[in-house]
PDB file of all heavy atoms in Angstrom:
ATOM      1  N   ALA A1103     -18.242  30.248 -63.253  1.00  0.00           N
ATOM      2  CA  ALA A1103     -18.111  28.847 -63.392  1.00  0.00           C
ATOM      3  C   ALA A1103     -19.042  28.272 -64.440  1.00  0.00           C
ATOM      4  O   ALA A1103     -18.655  27.357 -65.208  1.00  0.00           O
ATOM      5  CB  ALA A1103     -18.346  28.138 -62.010  1.00  0.00           C
ATOM      6  N   LEU A1104     -20.297  28.796 -64.482  1.00  0.00           N
ATOM      7  CA  LEU A1104     -21.254  28.326 -65.462  1.00  0.00           C
ATOM      8  C   LEU A1104     -20.826  28.714 -66.858  1.00  0.00           C
ATOM      9  O   LEU A1104     -20.904  27.900 -67.832  1.00  0.00           O
ATOM     10  CB  LEU A1104     -22.633  28.886 -65.159  1.00  0.00           C
ATOM     11  CG  LEU A1104     -23.802  28.303 -65.876  1.00  0.00           C
ATOM     12  CD1 LEU A1104     -23.977  26.818 -65.549  1.00  0.00           C
ATOM     13  CD2 LEU A1104     -25.117  29.018 -65.561  1.00  0.00           C
ATOM     14  N   LEU A1105     -20.344  29.928 -67.044  1.00  0.00           N
ATOM     15  CA  LEU A1105     -19.838  30.389 -68.383  1.00  0.00           C
ATOM     16  C   LEU A1105     -18.627  29.538 -68.765  1.00  0.00           C
ATOM     17  O   LEU A1105     -18.561  29.078 -69.945  1.00  0.00           O
ATOM     18  CB  LEU A1105     -19.428  31.839 -68.305  1.00  0.00           C
ATOM     19  CG  LEU A1105     -18.817  32.434 -69.566  1.00  0.00           C
ATOM     20  CD1 LEU A1105     -19.797  32.339 -70.696  1.00  0.00           C
ATOM     21  CD2 LEU A1105     -18.424  33.904 -69.325  1.00  0.00           C
ATOM     22  N   ALA A1106     -17.700  29.190 -67.865  1.00  0.00           N
ATOM     23  CA  ALA A1106     -16.584  28.363 -68.130  1.00  0.00           C
ATOM     24  C   ALA A1106     -17.014  26.947 -68.600  1.00  0.00           C
ATOM     25  O   ALA A1106     -16.502  26.371 -69.558  1.00  0.00           O
ATOM     26  CB  ALA A1106     -15.663  28.251 -66.967  1.00  0.00           C
ATOM     27  N   ALA A1107     -18.034  26.409 -67.921  1.00  0.00           N
ATOM     28  CA  ALA A1107     -18.565  25.069 -68.261  1.00  0.00           C
ATOM     29  C   ALA A1107     -19.168  25.100 -69.631  1.00  0.00           C
ATOM     30  O   ALA A1107     -18.987  24.180 -70.444  1.00  0.00           O
ATOM     31  CB  ALA A1107     -19.577  24.622 -67.259  1.00  0.00           C
ATOM     32  N   LEU A1108     -19.910  26.190 -69.971  1.00  0.00           N
ATOM     33  CA  LEU A1108     -20.481  26.252 -71.272  1.00  0.00           C
ATOM     34  C   LEU A1108     -19.444  26.375 -72.378  1.00  0.00           C
ATOM     35  O   LEU A1108     -19.511  25.653 -73.414  1.00  0.00           O
ATOM     36  CB  LEU A1108     -21.433  27.553 -71.319  1.00  0.00           C
ATOM     37  CG  LEU A1108     -21.953  27.972 -72.743  1.00  0.00           C
ATOM     38  CD1 LEU A1108     -22.919  26.871 -73.244  1.00  0.00           C
ATOM     39  CD2 LEU A1108     -22.670  29.283 -72.644  1.00  0.00           C
ATOM     40  N   VAL A1109     -18.397  27.174 -72.153  1.00  0.00           N
ATOM     41  CA  VAL A1109     -17.334  27.387 -73.141  1.00  0.00           C
ATOM     42  C   VAL A1109     -16.602  26.024 -73.391  1.00  0.00           C
ATOM     43  O   VAL A1109     -16.255  25.722 -74.495  1.00  0.00           O
ATOM     44  CB  VAL A1109     -16.432  28.487 -72.739  1.00  0.00           C
ATOM     45  CG1 VAL A1109     -15.173  28.542 -73.611  1.00  0.00           C
ATOM     46  CG2 VAL A1109     -17.218  29.842 -72.792  1.00  0.00           C
ATOM     47  N   ARG A1110     -16.373  25.262 -72.313  1.00  0.00           N
ATOM     48  CA  ARG A1110     -15.644  24.005 -72.496  1.00  0.00           C
ATOM     49  C   ARG A1110     -16.446  23.027 -73.346  1.00  0.00           C
ATOM     50  O   ARG A1110     -15.837  22.207 -74.034  1.00  0.00           O
ATOM     51  CB  ARG A1110     -15.406  23.410 -71.060  1.00  0.00           C
ATOM     52  CG  ARG A1110     -14.314  24.039 -70.333  1.00  0.00           C
ATOM     53  CD  ARG A1110     -14.151  23.459 -68.934  1.00  0.00           C
ATOM     54  NE  ARG A1110     -13.878  22.024 -69.010  1.00  0.00           N
ATOM     55  CZ  ARG A1110     -12.639  21.471 -69.115  1.00  0.00           C
ATOM     56  NH1 ARG A1110     -11.574  22.347 -69.219  1.00  0.00           N
ATOM     57  NH2 ARG A1110     -12.428  20.191 -69.190  1.00  0.00           N
ATOM     58  N   ARG A1111     -17.798  23.102 -73.329  1.00  0.00           N
ATOM     59  CA  ARG A1111     -18.586  22.179 -74.101  1.00  0.00           C
ATOM     60  C   ARG A1111     -18.630  22.606 -75.568  1.00  0.00           C
ATOM     61  O   ARG A1111     -18.982  21.827 -76.434  1.00  0.00           O
ATOM     62  CB  ARG A1111     -20.005  22.106 -73.586  1.00  0.00           C
ATOM     63  CG  ARG A1111     -20.111  21.493 -72.177  1.00  0.00           C
ATOM     64  CD  ARG A1111     -19.499  20.116 -72.102  1.00  0.00           C
ATOM     65  NE  ARG A1111     -20.086  19.157 -73.044  1.00  0.00           N
ATOM     66  CZ  ARG A1111     -21.051  18.332 -72.736  1.00  0.00           C
ATOM     67  NH1 ARG A1111     -21.534  18.335 -71.530  1.00  0.00           N
ATOM     68  NH2 ARG A1111     -21.500  17.515 -73.658  1.00  0.00           N
ATOM     69  N   LEU A1112     -18.375  23.885 -75.808  1.00  0.00           N
ATOM     70  CA  LEU A1112     -18.526  24.407 -77.183  1.00  0.00           C
ATOM     71  C   LEU A1112     -17.334  24.119 -78.133  1.00  0.00           C
ATOM     72  O   LEU A1112     -17.492  23.920 -79.293  1.00  0.00           O
ATOM     73  CB  LEU A1112     -18.784  25.851 -77.133  1.00  0.00           C
ATOM     74  CG  LEU A1112     -20.139  26.309 -76.472  1.00  0.00           C
ATOM     75  CD1 LEU A1112     -20.241  27.818 -76.475  1.00  0.00           C
ATOM     76  CD2 LEU A1112     -21.325  25.693 -77.250  1.00  0.00           C
ATOM     77  N   THR A1113     -16.159  24.191 -77.558  1.00  0.00           N
ATOM     78  CA  THR A1113     -14.954  24.004 -78.406  1.00  0.00           C
ATOM     79  C   THR A1113     -13.763  23.527 -77.613  1.00  0.00           C
ATOM     80  O   THR A1113     -13.638  23.824 -76.437  1.00  0.00           O
ATOM     81  CB  THR A1113     -14.550  25.412 -79.038  1.00  0.00           C
ATOM     82  OG1 THR A1113     -13.305  25.259 -79.724  1.00  0.00           O
ATOM     83  CG2 THR A1113     -14.385  26.455 -77.949  1.00  0.00           C
ATOM     84  N   PRO A1114     -12.878  22.684 -78.212  1.00  0.00           N
ATOM     85  CA  PRO A1114     -11.660  22.193 -77.502  1.00  0.00           C
ATOM     86  C   PRO A1114     -10.503  23.167 -77.658  1.00  0.00           C
ATOM     87  O   PRO A1114      -9.478  23.030 -76.974  1.00  0.00           O
ATOM     88  CB  PRO A1114     -11.394  20.866 -78.203  1.00  0.00           C
ATOM     89  CG  PRO A1114     -11.930  21.116 -79.614  1.00  0.00           C
ATOM     90  CD  PRO A1114     -13.119  21.997 -79.500  1.00  0.00           C
TER      91      PRO A1114
END
Side-chain angles (χ1 to χ4, degrees):
L1104 193 61
L1105 178 60
L1108 172 64
V1109 170
R1110 283 178 60 87
R1111 295 305 302 264
L1112 294 177
T1113 174

